[in-house]
Amino acid sequence: MDDLDRNILALLSQDARMSVAVLSRRLKVARSTLQARLERLETSGVIAGYTLRLGEQGRIAHIRATVLLTIEPRSQAGILARLKAMAQVERIHTTSGRVDFLLQLATRSTAELDDTLDRIGGIEGVRSSESLIHLSTKLDRAV
């Protein structure tokens, strides 16, 4: 990956809907060159897809929480399968340190959050959980 590839990615991370024509003008490269670069970035897996990222106003109807899970040894596969089946679980990260999983949840109400936390705590192999409810976002650099 060279500077042109990095510049393409930087512009697309700001606006994934930017057209090839606009990208090529901003980067001062031929449209055919830009199209070839995009195809190479897509086929190599550097660009996995184009998506919509909601701003704070778009996410306002959701209550978000981070859940730290400690699990029994050798129970990861079964727990992952159960967590993936829950629509409220947006992200699952494995971690190093005192916890095994870091989950990000999004629910429409505190009652739904409470129910989701109960279901997570009831999964066989979950030793303990700690929930952190998100209050406000002060910085979001995630792409």
Side-chain angles (χ1 to χ4, degrees), residues 7-137:
N7 289 335
I8 291 168
L9 295 174
L11 285 173
L12 286 174
S13 5
Q14 294 170 6
D15 181 4
R17 295 179 59 203
M18 193 176 298
S19 71
V20 172
V22 171
L23 280 168
S24 64
R25 275 196 307 273
R26 288 201 182 165
L27 296 171
K28 297 178 176 55
V29 297
R31 188 176 174 164
S32 59
T33 300
L34 185 74
Q35 187 65 49
R37 291 292 185 114
L38 282 172
E39 288 173 12
R40 186 174 50 77
L41 289 167
E42 290 167 359
T43 57
S44 68
V46 172
I47 295 177
Y50 300 86
T51 187
L52 170 72
R53 190 175 95 195
L54 294 175
E56 192 66 30
Q57 290 303 312
R59 295 182 296 195
I60 206 144
H62 289 106
I63 296 170
R64 298 197 177 284
T66 296
V67 179
L68 309 174
L69 285 186
T70 304
I71 64 171
E72 298 287 338
R74 294 179 295 282
S75 62
Q76 180 171 329
I79 292 172
L80 276 174
R82 298 274 307 273
L83 292 171
K84 287 177 182 178
M86 294 180 184
Q88 298 84 358
V89 178
E90 290 187 323
R91 290 188 178 87
I92 304 171
H93 302 280
T94 56
T95 65
S96 62
R98 68 178 181 84
V99 298
D100 301 299
F101 288 134
L102 183 145
L103 313 176
Q104 182 176 320
L105 308 181
T107 63
R108 296 195 187 284
S109 66
T110 55
E112 184 182 3
L113 177 60
D114 191 40
D115 177 63
T116 303
L117 293 172
D118 286 345
R119 288 189 294 136
I120 290 169
I123 296 174
E124 186 174 335
V126 171
R127 276 188 184 169
S128 67
S129 67
E130 179 179 348
S131 307
L132 307 164
I133 297 174
H134 301 195
L135 300 177
S136 67
T137 301

